[in-house]
Amino acid sequence: MSAPPLEAVRCNLCGEDDFSVLHHSPWPGGEREPADFAASTDRFDRYGRVVRCRRCALAYTNPRPRAAQVLQGYEKTVDPDYAEEDSSRSINGHLSLSTIKRFVKEGALLDVGCSTGYFLNAARLDFDVQGLEPSHWAAAYAKERLRLDVREGALAADSFPQETFEVVTMIDVIEHFADPAGALRDARGLLKPGGLLYLVTPDIASFSARILRGKWWGLRPAHLYYFSVETMSKMLGGAGFDVVLVKSYGRIFSYRYWLSRLASYPWLMRAPVAGAVRLLGMEDKFLYLNTRDSMEVCARKR
């Protein structure tokens, strides 16, 4: 099967078409595989060509699949492995919620790209929650298993009435958008005056991203944009937000999950860790780990 056509794009932050190549891991020929779009994937290669804008330093995939093709991939995604870490994903939801509640205690909350709804399930105790999710499978899971109000689809300016929500969240989502600047503007329109945008995204300027280079876990086939604190702050400012918090973001997962994240790392790095965990029988134990290469950002609507 021939590979679908790719499109060249300009920088989504400044609009320039002047870049240098950061990393290159070519896609194979043919259609993109479903695993490329799964949140639980341990595939951190075949991510195409990642470039950096010479004017504003935003990093992005260029060329890339067309936006409609990417969205179709998410709509068809079935990821049962995602639910195997349901306990830890629920705890991570509460970690995000604790940050949000520093700024907003209650009200209407929309989670964009809510997946199976673990964060929404945590937030429903304090907020009137709704979710938006393109995956038919994940949306059905959230609605049927967790009884959540989740709509299928992608974010758009008319997804909900304007100025509906006190909080909009995008947890590991903004890097997947074909037009992240446009998505931030759409989110701003859905927020009430002074409303809060909360997002989590990998940090390509982090120490581990710079050291691991093309082997960094954040480089994935489904990621279209790669932010630093600087470029994320600039994009938020341009979309009408004032950043009120930026910090590194840690997560809780089982040792088994963390070991799976090391699958594409050099053998000398992963083998001693995997051996120790298995020897001690710790695969099902939980570990909080902050590798300081994801950022947690809160921004207020101007």
Side-chain angles (χ1 to χ4, degrees), residues 240-269:
F241 289 95
D242 292 318
V243 175
V244 294
L245 174 76
V246 181
K247 64 186 184 74
S248 62
Y249 182 74
R251 294 174 171 87
I252 290 176
F253 283 112
S254 69
Y255 278 90
R256 179 180 288 106
Y257 175 90
W258 287 122
L259 288 178
S260 74
R261 303 301 92 177
L262 295 176
S264 63
Y265 284 28
W267 182 86
L268 288 175
M269 178 184 295

Side-chain angles (χ1 to χ4, degrees), residues 111-131:
D111 188 21
V112 177
C114 66
S115 188
T116 52
Y118 293 119
F119 167 73
L120 286 176
N121 196 43
R124 74 198 312 175
L125 295 175
D126 299 286
F127 292 90
D128 179 15
V129 300
Q130 290 183 277

Side-chain angles (χ1 to χ4, degrees), residues 73-123:
Y74 288 115
E75 290 173 343
K76 294 180 177 179
T77 296
V78 177
D79 188 12
D81 291 344
Y82 187 83
E84 290 185 2
E85 288 282 331
D86 54 353
S87 296
S88 54
R89 295 189 191 283
S90 296
I91 296 170
N92 290 326
H94 284 284
L95 293 178
S96 290
L97 186 62
S98 67
T99 299
I100 292 167
K101 290 176 66 177
R102 291 169 58 180
F103 301 96
V104 183
K105 303 294 186 185
E106 60 185 7
L109 180 150
L110 173 66
D111 188 21
V112 177
C114 66
S115 188
T116 52
Y118 293 119
F119 167 73
L120 286 176
N121 196 43

Side-chain angles (χ1 to χ4, degrees), residues 1-289:
M1 183 181 296
S2 61
L6 302 178
E7 62 176 351
V9 294
R10 290 178 173 269
C11 176
N12 193 247
L13 180 54
C14 70
E16 290 295 316
D17 189 23
D18 183 16
F19 55 81
S20 58
V21 177
L22 284 180
H23 308 294
H24 194 197
S25 178
W27 285 305
E31 295 285 348
R32 304 287 294 281
E33 297 181 17
D36 291 342
F37 300 96
S40 65
T41 185
D42 59 1
R43 178 178 296 164
F44 307 126
D45 58 1
R46 306 191 325 180
Y47 46 76
R49 187 179 70 173
V50 177
V51 305
R52 174 179 285 147
C53 178
R54 287 195 173 99
R55 177 178 176 185
C56 70
L58 179 66
Y60 56 101
T61 303
N62 188 29
R64 70 184 192 203
R66 298 184 183 277
Q69 179 195 349
V70 173
L71 179 58
Q72 186 178 58
Y74 288 115
E75 290 173 343
K76 294 180 177 179
T77 296
V78 177
D79 188 12
D81 291 344
Y82 187 83
E84 290 185 2
E85 288 282 331
D86 54 353
S87 296
S88 54
R89 295 189 191 283
S90 296
I91 296 170
N92 290 326
H94 284 284
L95 293 178
S96 290
L97 186 62
S98 67
T99 299
I100 292 167
K101 290 176 66 177
R102 291 169 58 180
F103 301 96
V104 183
K105 303 294 186 185
E106 60 185 7
L109 180 150
L110 173 66
D111 188 21
V112 177
C114 66
S115 188
T116 52
Y118 293 119
F119 167 73
L120 286 176
N121 196 43
R124 74 198 312 175
L125 295 175
D126 299 286
F127 292 90
D128 179 15
V129 300
Q130 290 183 277
L132 192 62
E133 171 56 45
S135 164
H136 304 315
W137 169 83
Y141 186 104
K143 289 186 286 187
E144 296 167 10
R145 296 286 297 274
L146 300 181
R147 298 293 186 264
L148 290 163
D149 182 0
V150 172
R151 297 187 188 182
E152 289 187 29
L155 178 66
D158 59 354
S159 296
F160 298 89
Q162 295 289 284
E163 300 189 351
T164 295
F165 300 97
E166 275 79 18
V167 181
V168 171
T169 61
M170 299 180 181
I171 302 173
D172 292 320
V173 168
I174 190 71
E175 63 273 15
H176 298 265
F177 281 116
D179 178 13
L184 292 178
R185 291 191 296 269
D186 290 342
R188 184 184 183 277
L190 298 179
L191 282 166
K192 294 180 180 180
L196 186 78
L197 176 69
Y198 172 85
L199 61 85
V200 174
T201 190
D203 180 2
I204 197 170
S206 64
F207 178 76
S208 61
R210 287 183 280 115
I211 292 298
L212 293 170
R213 297 180 59 79
K215 293 295 185 180
W216 180 50
W217 68 268
L219 298 168
R220 302 193 187 194
H223 288 182
L224 301 180
Y225 287 90
Y226 300 92
F227 296 94
S228 65
V229 171
E230 180 182 4
T231 57
M232 188 76 262
S233 298
K234 286 180 180 178
M235 188 169 284
L236 284 165
F241 289 95
D242 292 318
V243 175
V244 294
L245 174 76
V246 181
K247 64 186 184 74
S248 62
Y249 182 74
R251 294 174 171 87
I252 290 176
F253 283 112
S254 69
Y255 278 90
R256 179 180 288 106
Y257 175 90
W258 287 122
L259 288 178
S260 74
R261 303 301 92 177
L262 295 176
S264 63
Y265 284 28
W267 182 86
L268 288 175
M269 178 184 295
R270 70 176 188 271
V273 178
V277 168
R278 288 166 185 147
L279 180 65
L280 296 171
M282 297 173 62
E283 290 96 330
D284 295 323
K285 302 294 184 182
F286 291 115
L287 173 68
Y288 173 81
L289 190 60

